[in-house]
Amino acid sequence: MSELNLSEQEIIRRQALEEIRKLGIDPYPAAEYRTNAYAKEILENYSPEKNNYQEVCLAGRLMSRRIMGSASFAELMDSTGKIQIYVKRDEICPGEDKTLYNTVFKKLLDIGDIIGVKGFVFITQMGEITVHVKELTLLCKSLRPLPVVKEKDGKLYDAVTDPEFRYRQRYVDLIVNPHVREVFRKRTLLIQSMRELFNSRGYLEVETPILQPIPGGANARPFITHHNALDIPLYLRIANELYLKRLIVGGYEGVYEFAKDFRNEGMDRMHNPEFTVMEIYIAYKDYNWMMNFTEEIIEKVALDLHGTTEIVYQDRVLNLKPPYRRVPMLDLIKETTGIDIYGMDEAELRKVCDKLGIEHTPAMGKGKLIDAIFSEKCEQLLVQPTFVIDYPVETSPLTKMHRSKPGLTERFELFINCKEIANAYSELNDPVDQMERFREQLRLSEKGDDEAMFIDYDFVRALEYGMPPTSGMGMGIDRLTMIMTNQPSIQDVLFFPQMKPLGQKPKAESPKEDFLKLGIPEEWIDPIKKLGYHTVAMLREVEKPSRLANDLNIYNKKNKLGLAGLSPETVEKWLR
RNA sequence: GAUUCAGUAGCUCAGUCGGUAGAGCACAUCCCUUUUAAGGAUGGGGUCCUGGGUUCGAUUCCCAGCUGGAUCACCA
């Protein structure tokens, strides 16, 4: 990379790097640096009476410096937090040679550099627990200036808040925004908490294919890819349901998977093209049992993360203490609209939609019409955890028919904060019925529903061998994490949310010789490049040489280059 | 995909009713030499997102595009 593209601060840091090397210091040492303490544990456990932590060694990133002559204070941030360090010239340079302090520490180190320190802990006059440094080691020189975020009484100053910057350069976000690190730590704890519960019950964590020849288990548009050796299309999974149920057929009593699923659909603050779902299937259970188990999961996670089931989410308080309300979908519709749609046919449902002002299209079947009414009129009311149960069969092609309510299935969705968090069934295990449901999906597909399911004959074959009565549940881990960490957007709970790639990078540069060949004096080459003409080809496309001459003269003047002014004729000669 | 707001220094942001731009922090030099977001002084740093139009002249006005946010539509 040429220095032309570097900011002044970056150039200064590269020069400092060279100075460090000249002093015989390796700015990127290979050796292990063995630490014996962390910032947080020192701040929590140090006491002057105990006189503990008198030989500590810790490593981290330099986050601020206050230099005052022969002594300095700085902040060191490790994986646990920040602690102040005190660096005194004669301590780190006991002999005559004061280079390490005067030159290396004061001039050549920068905010963002990673260092290791050895010393003892004490309390300053200002009452702050501080590491008195006796030995300082550079572990990694940082070449790019870090945004400097200041903090006072928990309030941030100049905090990096630009979402684009934060998502595209998450590593910087994590460095300067400690609360972001905490969100992701909680995400991991949440998954561990659930895994702990499942393992304690003897359920088996499994892995199933991400590349699937038939994308099944949900209604969604898949990503498609191609396998060269087999010369077949493969789909990135939209769900893993059908594979997990095959494993139940195979004889496992309980299986679960934390799975990345992929759906080729819109992105917004609830949706990312790849997202994480936990799916679990347990033999000999039904959806009633699964509701109890789901309550247990949510309660455990809340307690493990917060020690309480009262969770603040944005401007609301969510009470996650079971039991949660269980309400049949049609009852809820009746409750909010006053209309009992049970047993209505498609035509009648269309009339209801018209009456309620809900848009519908000819492609929408009975199931989708009911779904539209529900989404429009009911979802927004489901702030506190609520199980909506007994969905119409038309939207539930993998669910067992309700044991007593014709036309409905044994399915529930758990809503928290008006969003679907979990989806579960008494699983359909009648292979003949399953085949018929798949055929119905095919009919919907022919009618124009591009999300209708494919027929998975192998799955039907598995059911023909016999699957025990089973209940399965899928839970959106990203959404649950949003609720548990009080984040408004899915992008805030994914380390690297999908972003649109940025446009063209600067194109290849023509070598200096090519510019010289055109008769361009050497001193004008950098200004020309700076104005965006990186190649001679780009110069040839310039239509108004006079304008280029003008721009260059302005650049000359503004940057005080002291070059003689260019005439339009001179510039024209270069170009022709 | 639609509507809308935004994009200016490394970061957070002002500003220019059209004449090539400022602050704080960061950076550099000097003074000070145990500080707590900030000791003092001086200084450097910018394709004002990109392209086109209008204009003698555009970072500013107009149009198009790019990227992001919000809302809506589809979906989990």
Side-chain angles (χ1 to χ4, degrees):
Chain A
M1 184 187 285
S2 110
E3 291 210 336
L4 205 61
N5 300 321
L6 296 177
S7 71
E8 183 193 32
Q9 289 189 50
E10 288 172 302
I11 292 166
I12 288 168
R13 285 190 179 215
R14 278 170 158 76
Q15 287 166 350
L17 176 72
E18 283 319 301
E19 291 300 315
I20 287 167
R21 285 209 165 100
K22 275 184 202 157
L23 288 169
I25 298 168
D26 182 355
Y28 303 105
E32 173 190 13
Y33 190 82
R34 200 169 294 175
T35 62
N36 65 10
Y38 291 105
K40 192 177 170 203
E41 60 155 314
I42 293 173
L43 295 178
E44 280 172 0
N45 300 326
Y46 173 72
S47 92
E49 292 77 35
K50 283 193 220 152
N51 204 33
N52 48 357
Y53 295 111
Q54 291 309 288
E55 279 190 39
V56 295
C57 177
L58 55 173
R61 198 182 286 273
L62 205 53
M63 294 303 284
S64 73
R65 282 193 307 172
R66 294 182 290 277
I67 293 176
M68 30 220 57
S70 61
S72 303
F73 288 90
E75 272 182 307
L76 189 72
M77 181 171 78
D78 67 14
S79 60
T80 66
K82 289 181 190 172
I83 190 166
Q84 177 167 271
I85 62 171
Y86 172 62
V87 182
K88 197 172 173 184
R89 185 186 61 203
D90 297 335
E91 290 277 353
I92 63 166
C93 305
E96 285 300 304
D97 183 6
K98 305 298 183 192
T99 309
L100 180 62
Y101 183 79
N102 286 341
T103 307
V104 177
F105 180 76
K106 276 170 70 172
K107 302 215 187 283
L108 301 179
L109 288 194
D110 289 291
I111 289 175
D113 288 353
I114 296 166
I115 60 170
V117 296
K118 287 181 184 161
F120 61 88
V121 179
F122 76 112
I123 295 185
T124 64
Q125 291 176 4
M126 301 300 290
E128 180 155 351
I129 295 172
T130 300
V131 178
H132 184 124
V133 176
K134 308 198 76 155
E135 201 182 310
L136 185 148
T137 312
L138 176 61
L139 299 175
C140 173
K141 179 70 192 160
S142 161
L143 292 183
R144 216 175 251 269
L146 215 49
V148 176
V149 179
K150 308 235 170 167
E151 190 199 336
K152 169 83 169 173
D153 302 328
K155 193 179 168 195
L156 294 176
Y157 296 80
D158 296 337
V160 175
T161 53
D162 175 24
E164 186 169 5
F165 184 97
R166 291 184 47 228
Y167 303 149
R168 285 193 197 277
Q169 299 189 47
R170 180 68 86 185
Y171 35 90
V172 177
D173 186 31
L174 291 166
I175 293 169
V176 302
N177 289 322
H179 56 280
V180 174
R181 280 204 301 276
E182 183 56 20
V183 166
F184 287 100
R185 202 182 63 85
K186 282 223 166 74
R187 182 184 170 113
T188 298
L189 283 180
L190 178 149
I191 290 170
Q192 285 171 348
S193 170
M194 289 173 62
R195 183 175 278 137
E196 220 172 71
L197 176 62
F198 303 153
N199 290 347
S200 75
R201 299 292 172 87
Y203 305 142
L204 191 68
E205 182 165 18
V206 297
E207 293 180 283
T208 61
I210 290 172
L211 290 174
Q212 302 179 349
I214 296 167
N219 300 93
R221 281 188 291 270
F223 285 93
I224 185 164
T225 184
H226 184 260
H227 189 270
N228 289 344
L230 295 177
D231 192 25
I232 53 165
L234 284 174
Y235 300 87
L236 270 60
R237 70 178 168 205
I238 56 175
N240 49 359
E241 169 157 358
L242 302 186
Y243 284 92
L244 290 173
K245 284 198 271 200
R246 283 173 171 96
L247 295 179
I248 296 294
V249 170
Y252 295 106
E253 179 144 338
V255 291
Y256 70 95
E257 180 174 15
F258 286 93
K260 267 280 178 80
D261 287 353
F262 306 84
R263 297 189 185 175
N264 205 341
E265 279 158 2
M267 293 164 59
D268 59 32
R269 69 171 201 268
M270 298 303 291
H271 302 89
N272 192 68
E274 63 179 280
F275 60 105
T276 303
V277 173
M278 190 292 301
E279 287 197 38
I280 185 164
Y281 291 81
I282 301 162
Y284 311 113
K285 308 297 184 192
D286 65 3
Y287 79 142
N288 291 313
W289 181 91
M290 190 58 86
M291 274 188 265
N292 295 339
F293 190 52
T294 303
E295 286 173 339
E296 197 177 337
I297 293 168
I298 300 285
E299 182 181 31
K300 177 178 190 307
V301 165
L303 290 173
D304 284 351
L305 264 58
H306 299 285
T308 171
T309 47
E310 299 256 307
I311 304 290
V312 174
Y313 184 76
Q314 306 296 299
D315 52 358
R316 289 166 167 164
V317 175
L318 301 174
N319 181 5
L320 305 180
K321 178 82 188 155
Y324 308 151
R325 186 182 178 206
R326 299 177 185 192
V327 55
M329 187 189 218
L330 300 187
D331 289 10
L332 201 57
I333 290 174
K334 192 174 168 187
E335 193 177 301
T336 55
T337 65
I339 302 171
D340 187 354
I341 60 169
Y342 186 71
M344 281 189 181
D345 62 20
E346 201 175 306
E348 289 172 302
L349 286 168
R350 282 185 200 284
K351 274 183 209 151
V352 172
C353 283
D354 288 338
K355 191 176 162 195
L356 295 172
I358 295 165
E359 286 182 32
H360 54 90
T361 63
M364 289 166 83
K366 200 173 149 186
K368 285 225 167 188
L369 290 168
I370 294 173
D371 202 48
I373 297 169
F374 176 76
S375 309
E376 193 71 28
K377 295 293 168 191
C378 303
E379 274 187 14
Q380 74 243 29
L381 305 169
L382 305 176
V383 175
Q384 297 302 329
T386 306
F387 290 112
V388 177
I389 67 173
D390 302 343
Y391 282 61
V393 62
E394 290 81 0
T395 51
S396 312
L398 303 169
T399 314
K400 193 175 272 193
M401 294 306 297
H402 196 281
R403 61 195 75 181
S404 60
K405 299 178 185 169
L408 300 181
T409 59
E410 297 210 347
R411 172 179 178 184
F412 73 79
E413 290 192 347
L414 172 63
F415 284 80
I416 305 178
N417 194 47
C418 313
K419 297 289 186 296
E420 183 196 332
I421 296 298
N423 180 20
Y425 323 134
S426 297
E427 301 296 337
L428 177 58
N429 62 346
D430 174 344
V432 176
D433 189 1
Q434 181 66 77
M435 193 59 216
E436 187 41 47
R437 306 269 195 107
F438 274 140
R439 290 210 178 92
E440 176 57 28
Q441 289 291 307
L442 192 63
R443 283 190 281 276
L444 286 176
S445 173
E446 282 159 359
K447 209 171 155 188
D449 184 346
D450 58 357
E451 289 172 352
M453 287 182 191
F454 294 57
I455 299 181
D456 188 333
Y457 292 100
D458 178 71
F459 174 66
V460 176
R461 179 169 60 190
L463 292 188
E464 284 168 356
Y465 283 102
M467 181 175 82
T470 297
S471 184
M473 189 262 290
M475 191 177 269
I477 295 300
D478 309 296
R479 289 183 174 184
L480 186 61
T481 304
M482 284 166 65
I483 287 170
M484 292 292 178
T485 58
N486 193 17
Q487 296 300 312
S489 167
I490 196 170
Q491 297 174 109
D492 294 315
V493 298
L494 299 170
F495 272 128
F496 304 104
Q498 194 56 244
M499 298 291 278
K500 208 161 178 172
L502 292 175
Q504 287 295 350
K505 296 165 290 306
K507 295 129 199 128
E509 284 188 15
S510 295
K512 202 201 279 183
E513 293 70 38
D514 289 8
F515 286 94
L516 292 171
K517 268 185 225 158
L518 296 179
I520 300 172
E522 187 164 358
E523 61 272 21
W524 281 107
I525 295 177
D526 276 358
I528 285 171
K529 287 188 182 173
K530 195 77 178 177
L531 286 177
Y533 303 97
H534 299 290
T535 63
V536 290
M538 293 171 81
L539 272 181
R540 290 209 185 89
E541 282 164 21
V542 171
E543 284 176 15
K544 296 181 190 166
S546 57
R547 173 147 191 174
L548 177 57
N550 191 42
D551 286 348
L552 285 168
N553 285 331
I554 288 170
Y555 185 87
N556 175 34
K557 201 164 133 194
K558 189 160 178 247
N559 292 282
K560 302 186 181 84
L561 299 178
L563 304 173
L566 293 165
S567 69
E569 293 74 30
T570 313
V571 174
E572 192 159 4
K573 265 184 222 158
W574 298 346
L575 306 184
R576 304 300 167 221

